[in-house]
Structures are given as structure tokens and as C-alpha cells.
Amino acid sequence: MTPSLVNPIIPGFAPDPSVVLIGDTFFLVNSTFHVFPGLPIYASKDLVNWKQIGNAINRRAQLSLRQSVTKINPPFKNGEVMLSTGGLYAPTIREHQGTVYVVCTNIIHAVEGGPDISENFFVTTQDIWSDEWSDPIPFEFRGIDTSLYWDEDGRAYMHGSAGPGPMTKIHLFEIDLKTGEKLSEEKKIWDGTGGIYPEGPHIYKRDGWYYLLISEGGTHENHMITVARATEIFGPYEAFSNNPILTARDTDEYIRYTGHCDMFQDQKGDWWGVCLGVRKDSGGRYFMGRETFITPGTWTEGNWPTLELVKSTPKGLAVQDPASRITAKPNIDFVYIRDAELNRYKISEDGKDVTLKACGVDLSHPTDSPSFIGKRQRVLEGASIVTLELPNEPSGARAGLACYKDEHRYVRIFYDTKASAVVFEILNKAQNIHRTTKHEIKVGDSLGLKLEYTEQEYRILYRDSAEGSAEWKSLATVDTLELTNPDFVGPVIGVFALVDEQSAEVRFKDLKIE
Ligand code: 6LW
């Protein structure tokens, strides 16, 4: 029996999805911005059960995420402040004659003024299960959201969103995929229907028509999916009269901001779309950020696509079908921030014991990589927990558990060996929030640290072995609104270790992140 579809299919930090069907398996990739490894590959046989099987960017030598800096933008009219993070934007996954391609853009944010740079590239693999991806092959394109289409004659066409924002346009050119060289002029093919930021284009062919699916309106409140078609790949493209084909703007639905869609067919030829969206509660909280949703697709009589979002959403993880035949690779879902020094980390095979070399880079650093390892928060209601082992001699380190969104926004609980205190801290520079709470404690040889969450609230707790008590004590509570902003990224929960001068090794055990 096929389990029924629930959304989001990839919960947590999972924007800008793209899907390809290879044999009997669907593969999905998302944007990852500042985290390494980048561009996770999820596999599914049934569109319900998804397991991470790899990362298309998994070697430090492939590229640098150092300038995946997060910018705090001027407030919108409604007072909300958007944050935009550089790094790996909107990838597209495709397969052609046995080679799998992931096309992507690395946005190098200027740290002190100057223009941002968009480095477009693709990586390839002959065996997507192997996690062996090529070095990036760069190509010339000043824009984002690149995608690939092969015509019946075998020619490959790259398309993307280019030009000064917010009035970007959709551009197309023919490309040599051996060299990355442009084989034709780059031509503007569509302006969209008038929404800001026409972006996220994908071309499909059906019954002799080239369909150009894009998003407009910006990736938050006014996001929408629109479509145009042409008989020649370079156009002229004619817009569908019933655009947008999917949007949640001007609604008070729970699933909002739907857009950035990729359509694909299953083995039976039925059409589907994957798009991003947020789950926004009635108080305006959408702390998990942009997640991946699925929508069945149908074609109307006039031969235009329509999409309808599956609205059933659990607070926990969807029930996984054990017969789904794909096993997640252990520890493949651990991530670091930007250009991680991998020799700082030791992880046990079961992922529960983690040793970190503390360093002087804090979570608030815009470019350097702190000693931090974590996983994406996947559930709206749950808990992440770890035991921090404490050495006999104070090491000078501050180490603990953090929920990190970017260098301007995090919540954390840690033990400060110098102050003999357990400390809570929340930072959100985009909302001018910075609070700390400190409890001096007498510690034994370990300290339990816990983040407990619901959609509305984060509870920060600790448990001290010296007091021989199994009781968790509350240190602070945070409204998730305090970490909600229009942004590109999502929460990553993990352990960190910070030290001022001397070096220190910090051991954590029984780590569980959900
Ligand atoms: C992405 C753009 C967008 O490149 O947001 O949702 C940008 N759409 O298409 C960052 O994810």
C-alpha cells in the first residue's frame, strides 16, 4: 500500500527543490547557502519516504563558502527585516545519457561594500548513489537559479534569472557541457507577468510546446508560480491567461510563500511539482524557514499545467514506510558552517559521540568557520539533547548546544568553565534582540543540555550530574517569533566549542538532534 502524501516532504531548512527521476528512484536537491556539505541529495521510491543519500558538494576543494555572508536588509514597508545569505543558491538536478548534473550558483557576498559575485557552475556524477561528484565546471552567467534543458537534437540549454533586481529577467543560451562554454548568445526570453524577481526558471517540453515555469513576487509573502509557452525554445513566450498557477499570497492559509517549483513526471507519466513554502502559524511564526512541499500536477484542456498543494501536515516527521527500500547513509546529514576545518571534528559511527577542537571563532563570525557541527531541525515539536563531558581542570572553553540560523541569529546554552556557570543566550540582530541568563552551578563530570521545542516556543534546559538529580532545570524560554524573519536559511541544531587563547578538546556524548 502506498502511504498517503503529507507535506512538507523535506521538513526544515529545504528551499528551492529540484527533482529528477532516474530508473525507479526520484532524487531531490535543495539550496544550502552557508552550510557544508552543500546541496544534499534525497532519494525516494514513492514521493513520500525521502532519505538523504549524499551531498553534491562534499569536498572542501570543490569550492569556498567563506563569503557566504548574511546581509541584514532595510526593513520592508510592514517593518519586517529580511536577511539574505550568500553561498549555494537554487540548484537544479537533471540526468542526460547516464550523467547526472547539478547546476548551481555560489553567491560571493561582498563583505565591505562592492558588488556581489555570482559564480555559476555544474557538478556531475556517473553514479548518484556513490556520492562521488566532480569538481565544479564553471560557466559564464551573471545571475542565479540556473537550470538545464536538453532538446531532442541533444543540444543543451542553460536558463536562469539575470539582470538588476528586483526586475530580473529570464535568460537562455546554448551551452557546451564538456567545457562550460557558451554556444549561443544569451537572450532574454521572458519578463514574467509583472511580479518582482522573475526567477527559478525550468523548461519542459510537451506536445511540441516549450513550457517555461518560473516564480515571481520574491520568495516570501508574494511568491507565486507562473508559466508561459512557445513553439521555439528562444520564444516568443506567451503567458498563460490563468497565472499564477500556484500561490498563497493574500491568503491566511497555514502553508504560505509557495513558489520556486520544479515539475517532473513519475514512472506512470503523471505530473508533479515540488516547491518551497513555509508553515506560518496564526501568530506569524515560521521559524523553520522554507521547506519542500509536493503538489500533484494536471494539464488542463488547453494544455496548460495546474498545481494543487497537498495540505495535510504533521508536526512531527511523516511516518516512514520501512518498505521504502532506501537507507539513509549514517552521519551524511551532519553539517558545518562555511569552510569547515574538518580535522577539528571526531564523530562516532552512530553519530552520538562528538569531539570538537575548540577555536576562537564564535557563531557570530560572518566569514570564518566556528567549531560547530549540527543537523537541520526536522520537527516542529521535539527535542535535541546532548551531554557535555567536563574535564577535571577547567579548559577555558565555552561549549554547548546551539540552534543556529546565521551569524546574526541563534539561541544557545553552554557551560562557561571560567565562570563556572551555565549560560543561555539569544541573538537576533535583525530584531535588535540580545539576552543572556547565567546560573552559577557546581558541576560534576558532565552536564546535560537540552532544547525542547514546539512551533511557538523554544525551552532551554540543563541537568547537572553533580546534584545527582535527574530533573531538567529550565534556564530560559524563547518565543519562536524572536527567531522568525523573512530569510533564505533554516535552523541547524548542533554542538559548538569556543576558546579564547589556549587549545581545548571538548567531548560531547549521547547527541540526539531531531
Ligand atoms: C533563490 C530564488 C529564491 O535563488 O530565493 O525562492 C533565492 N527563490 O529563486 C534564494 O533561495
Side-chain angles (χ1 to χ4, degrees):
M1 191 188 80
T2 314
S4 50
L5 286 166
V6 289
N7 263 325
I9 52 167
I10 313 286
F13 180 178
D16 309 324
S18 173
V19 166
V20 67
L21 172 65
I22 303 172
D24 67 351
T25 310
F26 301 92
F27 296 93
L28 186 151
V29 66
N30 290 121
S31 303
T32 46
F33 303 96
H34 51 184
V35 301
F36 174 86
L39 311 183
I41 308 290
Y42 301 92
S44 176
K45 303 273 186 195
D46 55 13
L47 300 176
V48 177
N49 298 273
W50 292 88
K51 301 271 172 60
Q52 190 177 347
I53 57 132
N55 295 284
I57 298 298
N58 56 34
R59 300 185 305 280
R60 277 280 314 276
Q62 281 172 300
L63 51 82
S64 172
L65 295 172
R66 185 176 159 75
Q67 270 164 258
S68 178
V69 173
T70 297
K71 289 187 181 171
I72 302 178
N73 295 288
F76 291 150
K77 277 195 198 120
N78 67 5
E80 279 189 315
V81 172
M82 186 182 94
L83 297 100
S84 40
T85 305
L88 299 182
Y89 271 45
T92 298
I93 187 164
R94 295 289 183 261
E95 187 266 348
H96 187 69
Q97 295 179 344
T99 301
V100 185
Y101 296 78
V102 171
V103 192
C104 190
T105 315
N106 189 10
I107 296 285
I108 318 279
H109 268 172
V111 183
E112 286 164 15
D116 298 336
I117 298 167
S118 50
E119 288 185 343
N120 277 283
F121 67 89
F122 55 89
V123 289
T124 63
T125 184
Q126 305 304 313
D127 176 7
I128 194 164
W129 296 99
S130 73
D131 213 20
E132 284 169 17
W133 290 86
S134 72
D135 283 334
I137 297 157
F139 62 91
E140 179 54 41
F141 179 64
R142 291 195 186 178
I144 57 166
D145 296 2
T146 34
S147 181
L148 255 181
Y149 174 77
W150 285 265
D151 216 339
E152 280 114 12
D153 59 8
R155 290 169 187 239
Y157 295 89
M158 195 66 79
H159 35 301
S161 171
M167 295 326 291
T168 47
K169 312 280 181 221
I170 306 304
H171 288 204
L172 178 92
F173 56 92
E174 192 189 340
I175 187 167
D176 179 340
L177 290 172
K178 294 223 160 51
T179 60
E181 212 182 308
K182 262 185 182 150
L183 295 179
S184 78
E185 239 181 276
E186 181 179 317
K187 200 180 153 202
K188 181 192 90 174
I189 55 167
W190 200 32
D191 293 358
T193 66
I196 58 168
Y197 291 109
E199 60 190 12
H202 295 296
I203 287 177
Y204 316 97
K205 199 167 189 183
R206 188 181 143 97
D207 296 340
W209 290 98
Y210 295 92
Y211 287 87
L212 174 60
L213 187 76
I214 73 160
S215 285
E216 301 180 48
T219 191
H220 299 109
E221 201 67 64
N222 296 314
H223 216 193
M224 57 179 169
I225 302 166
T226 58
V227 62
R229 70 182 179 191
T231 50
E232 303 288 333
I233 193 159
F234 278 100
Y237 281 85
E238 163 217 354
F240 180 32
S241 57
N242 256 338
N243 277 322
I245 61 168
L246 190 79
T247 186
R249 67 182 177 161
D250 306 324
T251 73
D252 53 6
E253 298 272 340
Y254 181 48
I255 302 170
R256 302 277 279 283
Y257 302 3
T258 40
H260 202 111
C261 181
D262 190 12
M263 290 185 71
F264 58 97
Q265 284 175 280
D266 65 19
Q267 299 94 321
K268 291 187 294 190
D270 290 338
W271 283 82
W272 300 87
V274 279
C275 66
L276 70 77
V278 301
R279 288 178 283 177
K280 189 170 181 176
D281 85 347
S282 54
R285 298 173 184 83
Y286 56 99
F287 170 69
M288 290 281 263
R290 304 176 305 162
E291 310 177 282
T292 292
F293 293 79
I294 192 155
T295 84
T298 45
W299 291 78
T300 59
E301 266 175 39
N303 225 351
W304 288 97
T306 56
L307 297 168
E308 198 176 336
L309 198 68
V310 174
K311 290 191 178 159
S312 127
T313 83
K315 296 272 189 255
L317 279 181
V319 179
Q320 297 281 310
D321 176 3
S324 69
R325 291 181 290 141
I326 295 171
T327 326
K329 290 197 191 140
N331 295 346
I332 201 117
D333 49 348
F334 273 115
V335 291
Y336 311 86
I337 299 164
R338 301 186 204 93
D339 288 350
E341 301 289 341
L342 295 175
N343 59 10
R344 286 190 198 146
Y345 306 90
K346 271 185 246 148
I347 315 162
S348 64
E349 252 169 59
D350 63 6
K352 288 185 182 165
D353 299 336
V354 176
T355 304
L356 258 67
K357 263 190 214 146
C359 75
V361 180
D362 204 354
L363 300 180
S364 57
H365 202 286
T367 52
D368 290 355
S369 187
S371 285
F372 171 92
I373 175 169
K375 294 184 181 190
R376 292 167 182 83
Q377 182 180 336
R378 295 296 193 189
V379 296
L380 277 176
E381 277 176 16
S384 291
I385 186 166
V386 75
T387 303
L388 169 65
E389 293 192 9
L390 296 164
N392 298 333
E393 295 294 313
S395 64
R398 280 161 283 160
L401 189 62
C403 172
Y404 175 93
K405 284 190 126 175
D406 53 47
E407 63 267 31
H408 310 298
R409 297 176 300 159
Y410 46 80
V411 164
R412 61 180 168 181
I413 176 169
F414 58 94
Y415 184 65
D416 182 338
T417 46
K418 280 190 193 153
S420 300
V422 61
V423 183
F424 152 78
E425 183 180 13
I426 175 174
L427 178 73
N428 184 343
K429 284 195 193 153
Q431 291 188 27
N432 295 317
I433 294 169
H434 188 209
R435 288 196 306 276
T436 58
T437 309
K438 203 183 244 191
H439 280 190
E440 276 180 35
I441 54 168
K442 281 208 181 72
V443 287
D445 53 8
S446 70
L447 184 66
L449 303 171
K450 182 153 120 176
L451 299 175
E452 246 177 33
Y453 24 90
T454 63
E455 193 163 14
Q456 284 78 31
E457 206 172 70
Y458 250 67
R459 285 188 296 278
I460 293 94
L461 307 129
Y462 68 96
R463 182 166 68 183
D464 177 12
S465 64
E467 294 176 7
S469 152
E471 288 279 302
W472 285 99
K473 292 184 191 138
S474 171
L475 188 59
T477 302
V478 165
D479 187 324
T480 54
L481 206 49
E482 295 193 296
L483 286 166
T484 298
N485 294 87
D487 58 7
F488 291 172
V489 299
V492 176
I493 296 176
V495 291
F496 72 95
L498 183 65
V499 75
D500 293 329
E501 290 123 27
Q502 62 273 60
S503 64
E505 216 172 55
V506 178
R507 290 166 59 96
F508 294 93
K509 59 179 190 193
D510 301 325
L511 175 63
K512 184 192 88 171
I513 300 169
E514 59 177 24

